[in-house]
């Protein structure tokens, strides 16, 4: 087997080809939701399957979800006897481009500028996909451990893979799972994401009248449902923007800190606007705290607005839950809190609630050790540990099905990658470092089992 220094060269030489493959994938607008071409999604599925076969995966096939979701692509490479199995994950579908006039170069015409490759999916998550191809190519299709790969086709909307895994768990059985759909705060800083927040979502409805009434005739003594709803919403944060829900306390954070300037820029926060929540540091708020947002509202639109008292108003509310806390409990306490906040004895109804628990990675096994060492060697720097404020339902399903499996989350999606926004990009050298990390990881994992 080749030694590590050789692998630096091998990976470096694979990069031009890897970037070309990435450009080919970016050119296909594989947006897996209504209103976009399903043909393009299938084209990306096809190309993914072809590329998996080319790099040496066997039994490559489409997995068709029962609920009408888009196909995932699956493949495997049996390992030498007694070697562990690693499951690689990425997704080939992408977010819609959003307003195209905000893109400097067209979203589906991959363009290189200043060391970054621009285009929808350049980072999220076609970078993960090509990183997996290159990793296998570095071993000429014969990696030192057993491999499985699943490339999802509808991660961005209504992910169907978690339910598929529940129905066919054996296909996904592995000792280590690599989810290459993440990244560092700054390029060149090796990073492992070891926790994800959970979430709870619900719709709250406030009603004050049976029907809309004239606001000139009745306005004054008669409460408006929208104003009542606003009272509830306005009391969920204090003046400084800290979330205050009785019974819900944030968890503690011990990983890396996130620099404020980088964070403000990535969030596209306007220069004059404050960050909110003054009780805890930024990283603790983001990765171990509660956050609460209104993500939708049902109200008469301005166009067609009439002189009426609003009879009913609804808000969809999303709460992010610290990784180690129970999302169901958070939801119950939030519902309870609403009942204490509703003003003027307005009628309150809560509907359509659901939760997703957070995730905490195991950090004491051979997979995590090998991953940590591989990152350190590929980046020539000490890896840092971060969290993610968002959930990945896949991690929960995999850890329920395979409690012993270790899950590693990394990738080339640094904070400046603008995933989901205009001008999404990947840093080409960061992508090379991630490929090298994965190659070194497989070698180290094999050595631990030799
Ligand atoms: Zn993604």
């Amino acid at each position: 087997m080749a030694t590590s220094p050789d692998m630096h060269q091998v990976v470096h030489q694979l990069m031009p080809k890897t970037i070309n493959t990435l450009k080919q994938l970016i050119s296909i607008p594989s947006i897996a939701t209504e209103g976009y071409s399903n043909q393009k999604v299938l084209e990306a599925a096809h190309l993914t399957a072809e590329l998996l076969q080319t790099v040496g995966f066997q039994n490559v096939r489409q997995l068709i979800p029962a609920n009408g979701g888009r196909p995932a692509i699956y493949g495997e490479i049996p390992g030498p006897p007694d070697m562990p199995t690693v499951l690689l994950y990425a997704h080939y579908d992408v977010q819609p481009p959003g307003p195209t006039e905000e893109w400097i170069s067209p979203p589906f015409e991959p363009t290189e500028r200043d060391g970054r490759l621009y285009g929808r999916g350049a980072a999220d998550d076609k970078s993960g996909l090509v990183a997996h191809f290159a990793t296998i190519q570095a071993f000429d299709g014969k990696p030192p451990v057993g491999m499985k790969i699943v490339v999802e086709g509808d991660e961005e909307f209504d992910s169907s893979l978690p339910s598929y895994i529940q129905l066919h768990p054996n296909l996904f059985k592995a000792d280590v799972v690599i989810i290459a759909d993440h990244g560092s705060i700054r390029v060149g800083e090796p990073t492992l994401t070891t926790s994800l927040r959970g979430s709870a979502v619900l719709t709250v409805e406030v009603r004050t009248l049976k029907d809309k009434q004239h606001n000139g005739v009745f306005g004054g003594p008669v409460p408006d449902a929208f104003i009542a709803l606003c009272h509830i919403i306005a009391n969920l944060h204090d003046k400084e923007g800290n979330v205050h829900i009785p019974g819900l306390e944030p968890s503690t954070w011990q990983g890396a800190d996130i620099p404020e300037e980088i964070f403000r820029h990535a969030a596209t926060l306007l220069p004059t606007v404050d960050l909110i929540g003054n009780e805890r540091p930024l990283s603790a708020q983001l990765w171990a705290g509660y956050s609460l947002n209104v993500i939708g509202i049902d109200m008469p639109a301005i166009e067609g607005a009439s002189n009426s008292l609003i009879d009913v108003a609804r808000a969809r509310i999303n709460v992010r839950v610290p990784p180690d806390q129970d999302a169901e409990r958070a939801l119950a306490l939030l519902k309870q809190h609403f009942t204490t906040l509703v003003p003027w004895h307005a009628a309150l109804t809560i509907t359509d609630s659901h939760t997703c628990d957070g995730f905490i990675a195991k950090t004491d096994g051979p997979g995590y050790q090998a991953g940590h060492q591989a990152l350190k060697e590929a980046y020539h720097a000490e890896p840092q540990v971060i969290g993610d404020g968002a959930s990945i339902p896949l991690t929960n399903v995999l850890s329920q099905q395979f409690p012993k499996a270790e899950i590693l989350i990394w990738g080339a999606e640094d904070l400046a990658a603008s995933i989901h926004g205009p001008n999404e990009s990947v840093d080409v050298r960061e992508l090379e470092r991630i490929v090298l990390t994965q190659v070194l990881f497989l070698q180290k994992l094999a050595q631990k089992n030799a």
Side-chain angles (χ1 to χ4, degrees):
M1 190 175 32
T3 58
S4 305
D6 294 329
M7 280 312 198
H8 286 70
Q9 270 314 309
V10 170
V11 168
H12 189 66
Q13 280 159 8
L14 280 170
M15 287 317 287
K17 200 170 162 186
T18 302
I19 297 300
N20 273 339
T21 307
L22 180 54
K23 287 179 177 170
Q24 202 184 348
L25 283 160
I26 294 168
S27 306
I28 308 171
S30 44
I31 304 160
T33 191
E34 271 169 49
Y36 296 91
S37 161
N38 190 41
Q39 209 41 48
K40 292 293 172 191
V41 177
L42 298 181
E43 196 184 316
H46 237 88
L47 178 59
T48 301
E50 209 178 281
L51 289 163
L52 287 187
Q53 253 153 359
T54 311
V55 302
F57 279 98
Q58 305 164 20
N59 299 321
V60 174
R61 59 189 186 273
Q62 292 196 352
L63 308 179
I64 311 286
N67 61 1
R70 317 302 165 103
I73 310 299
Y74 178 86
E76 52 199 16
I77 303 174
D82 301 325
M83 278 295 166
T85 297
V86 174
L87 169 67
L88 303 173
Y89 168 87
H91 61 90
Y92 68 80
D93 67 311
V94 296
Q95 281 281 324
T100 34
E101 66 277 9
E102 288 179 30
W103 286 77
I104 296 168
S105 50
F108 300 106
E109 291 175 25
T111 310
E112 280 184 76
R113 290 192 296 276
D114 302 326
R116 297 190 75 102
L117 177 64
Y118 287 81
R120 173 55 85 232
D124 181 15
D125 182 27
K126 289 172 174 173
S127 70
L129 185 46
V130 298
H132 294 331
F133 298 147
T135 302
I136 302 303
Q137 278 178 307
F139 295 103
D140 273 329
K142 294 175 209 65
V145 297
M147 303 297 306
K148 294 180 175 180
I149 188 167
V150 61
V151 186
E152 192 173 10
D154 52 12
E155 192 271 350
E156 301 287 5
F157 295 94
D158 281 331
S159 175
S160 47
L161 189 60
S163 45
Y164 192 94
I165 294 174
Q166 279 167 327
L167 292 172
H168 310 272
N170 282 339
L171 212 50
F172 303 92
K173 194 174 188 322
D175 301 285
V176 183
V177 182
I178 295 181
I179 298 181
D181 189 13
H182 222 271
S184 310
I185 297 171
R186 274 187 285 230
V187 293
E189 293 179 358
T191 305
L192 270 160
T193 302
T194 57
S195 66
L196 308 167
R197 279 196 295 195
S199 75
V201 64
L202 55 82
T203 297
V204 53
E205 178 184 293
V206 176
R207 181 177 280 278
T208 55
L209 302 167
K210 281 189 184 150
D211 299 298
K212 257 188 203 156
Q213 296 299 336
H214 196 291
N215 72 332
V217 176
F218 296 101
V222 176
D224 170 308
F226 184 60
I227 307 286
L229 176 63
C230 289
H231 266 269
I232 297 177
I233 293 170
N235 280 294
L236 296 169
H237 292 82
D238 67 15
K239 264 210 161 75
E240 281 71 38
N242 300 296
V243 176
H244 278 303
I245 298 161
L248 297 186
E249 290 297 329
S251 299
T252 52
W253 174 250
Q254 275 153 351
D257 285 325
I258 186 163
E260 188 174 322
E261 336 75 71
I262 293 182
F263 178 71
R264 288 187 69 106
H265 184 257
T268 70
L269 194 63
L270 298 181
T272 55
V273 177
D274 302 332
L275 289 171
I276 59 169
N278 61 350
E279 289 174 350
R280 312 172 68 234
L282 196 49
S283 46
Q285 272 193 74
L286 273 178
W287 299 327
Y290 281 93
S291 68
L292 186 152
N293 295 94
V294 177
I295 57 168
I297 203 140
D298 278 352
M299 267 284 300
I302 291 174
E303 201 177 308
S306 63
N307 288 325
S308 302
L309 284 170
I310 290 162
D311 51 341
V312 62
R314 286 178 210 94
R316 186 92 174 133
I317 293 178
N318 178 256
V319 178
R320 298 290 171 170
V321 180
D324 55 345
Q325 296 195 31
D326 180 356
E328 278 296 332
R329 176 179 172 270
L331 179 71
L333 287 168
L334 182 65
K335 285 181 177 173
Q336 165 61 27
H337 189 44
F338 282 134
T339 63
T340 68
L341 292 178
V342 61
W344 314 315
H345 300 100
L348 176 83
T349 318
I350 291 169
T351 53
D352 204 11
S353 60
H354 62 90
T355 59
C356 168
D357 272 325
F359 166 78
I360 298 178
K362 279 191 263 302
T363 54
D364 54 0
Y368 185 83
Q369 278 173 19
H372 196 272
Q373 289 163 1
L375 275 167
K376 190 171 174 175
E377 207 172 309
Y379 282 74
H380 305 290
E382 193 59 41
Q384 52 184 354
V385 166
I386 63 168
D388 189 330
S391 334
I392 307 178
L394 179 72
T395 54
N396 296 358
V397 175
L398 287 171
S399 51
Q400 278 158 16
Q401 293 288 344
F402 312 112
K404 286 191 184 142
E406 295 180 79
I407 300 179
L408 301 175
I409 305 171
W410 57 39
E413 300 169 19
D414 66 293
L415 256 192
S418 182
I419 62 166
H420 298 203
N423 304 305
E424 178 177 349
S425 67
V426 69
D427 183 288
V428 171
R429 290 190 45 215
E430 186 76 353
L431 180 57
E432 178 173 340
R433 286 187 278 259
I434 281 298
V435 176
L436 182 58
T437 299
Q438 298 200 151
V439 168
L440 298 176
F441 165 75
L442 296 180
Q443 287 187 325
K444 288 176 194 301
L445 189 68
Q447 281 157 15
K448 284 181 195 294
N449 284 275

